[in-house]
Amino acid sequence: MLNLSATLEYSAKTNPLDPAIYFADKTFSYKDVDIMANKIANGLIKAGIKSGDKVALCCPNIPQFIFSYFAILKAGCIVLPFNVLLKNSEIEFILNNSQAKGIICFEGTPELEIAKEVLEAVEKSASCEKMWVIQSSDKFKINNENVYEFSSLIKNSEEYFDTIQCSSEDTAIILYTSGTTGKPKGAELTHSNVLLNSFIGKDLAQLTKSDKVIMSLPLFHVYGQVVMMLSSILSGASLIVLPRFDPVEVLKAMESHKATVFGGVPTMYWALLNSLDESNVNINVISNNLRVCSAGGSSLPLEVLKNFEERFKVPILEGYGLSETSPGITFNHLGRQRKPGSVGQPVWGIEIKVFDENDQEVKTTETGEIVVRGHAVMKGYYNNIEGTKNALRGGWFHTGDIGYYDEDGYLYIVDRVKDMIIRGGYNVYPRELEEVLIKHDDVSLVAVIGVPHDEWGEEIKACIVLKDGSDCSEKDIITFAKSNIAAYKYPRIIEFYDSLPLNATGKILKTELRK
């Protein structure tokens, strides 16, 4: 028997008074967090939620997310965290597809009315019977008999809750993928999947109870949730919770809290570097305390990695994973050779191969689709037999990512299968070209996409954000690219942007750029 909530319960028993969460001007000890989770679990059961039910969670990074996450697990239920930016039709699909029985959500702000979108979805949902709103003002009026204040879950609830035990193979979390190709799919992760990955994250970063971890990655995303939150709580470390990623606020939090660990996606590292002057922080205070950083989500441009490590005097461990793999499956390891540009080697218990289009393994240094098997791989996609069968064919999870191994067994990600550009019959990998263009003195951020073309099938387009004050032309960029990359690969179309569209986790939204 196993329940993922044991990660919190162990730390609450062994170091109850140690700080678990720093949020704004508040501090919550491990005992505080466990008691809040117990109260909410009691409240859910009293409200009619039963073991095995699915309870959705739609919150930014606030302590109530963490309390509710563990409460849902303690109640023997399945957590369904999803993106706060979703609109009501998208939320309705997830609620119906997952057959969620209830949802806990944050009221939101005038700019982002989370509860309003959720309520519209709940009212149309066939399965979701209860909604609890974490109110941030008195403006959200509750006029529905199935909608309650979040505080009602806690009021008059006991501080003790007897955690409902589960099988290690029971589903603990369902994570809905972004659905860039069709409707989103819900990856079912078991208690065992996620707990093992939390231990691996703890081990890779060598986390201890003395660590202070910046929590600015969205908690609803698998990287923030497992690699950062669960690994830290398992270690008894302190989480410095920030509502969202704001580079200036992150730098100030690093300085004031003497943070030791940071994890982020590539655009976050780029933003931190570009915000140092504006933030007025003492970089020496930050670098003296910051011990290790991790990067995932997409490949970190070598130029950004090099500049960050030089300025902050800290190693960035690049890793790789997906929602469907709990997530971490490869990492560069402390104490081993790190290879910048590589996502490292498979972690303990994970086997990774590179297959051709016929699902046959390719030779070392040859590119193909990355496939995975081992303890991290999901049970399947919930309520989606066809999607599961296709993704897990032949006993391997097919990632949809293109990569290769070098002679030392280090894995490199070349690109997403769907992002690959085929120009005149030649395969062009955007990431390779992005690595070249980011080295141009005037280029701050770049994304390369394919656009339809009558003659070549697809043409190569570079979407570029220039550095402040730079005076660079399309011709300058093309000339630079032509002198650094094969003739069939350089971009023929250049477009300059003030900023590039990012999703909630900081990844560049190439789907938006293709519109």
Side-chain angles (χ1 to χ4, degrees), residues 11 27 34 66 85 130 140 191 194 207 247 333-334 407 451 501:
S11 290
T27 303
D34 197 44
I66 300 173
L85 299 178
K130 310 253 183 193
F140 187 79
H191 290 269
V194 182
L207 291 169
H333 295 65
L334 287 170
E407 290 87 350
V451 294

Side-chain angles (χ1 to χ4, degrees), residues 6-22 27-31 33 70 198-199 201-203 206-213 226-240 260-261 291:
T7 50
L8 170 64
E9 290 165 354
Y10 181 77
S11 290
K13 280 175 190 162
T14 53
N15 37 291
L17 301 181
D18 284 0
I21 299 170
Y22 293 107
T27 303
F28 298 90
S29 70
Y30 271 98
K31 182 182 178 182
V33 176
F70 285 104
S198 303
F199 270 106
K202 172 181 180 285
D203 185 52
Q206 297 176 9
L207 291 169
T208 70
K209 59 184 285 188
S210 61
D211 277 308
K212 293 181 177 178
V213 180
V226 181
V227 178
M228 305 306 294
M229 179 184 82
L230 287 173
S231 294
S232 298
I233 285 174
L234 184 65
S235 316
S238 305
L239 288 168
I240 303 156
T260 61
V261 181
R291 183 176 62 75

Side-chain angles (χ1 to χ4, degrees), residues 258-283:
K258 297 184 167 56
T260 61
V261 181
F262 174 77
V265 297
T267 50
M268 291 180 176
Y269 286 96
W270 171 80
L272 290 172
L273 278 168
N274 283 280
S275 301
L276 274 171
D277 293 341
E278 183 191 347
S279 67
N280 291 318
V281 294
N282 185 333
I283 186 72

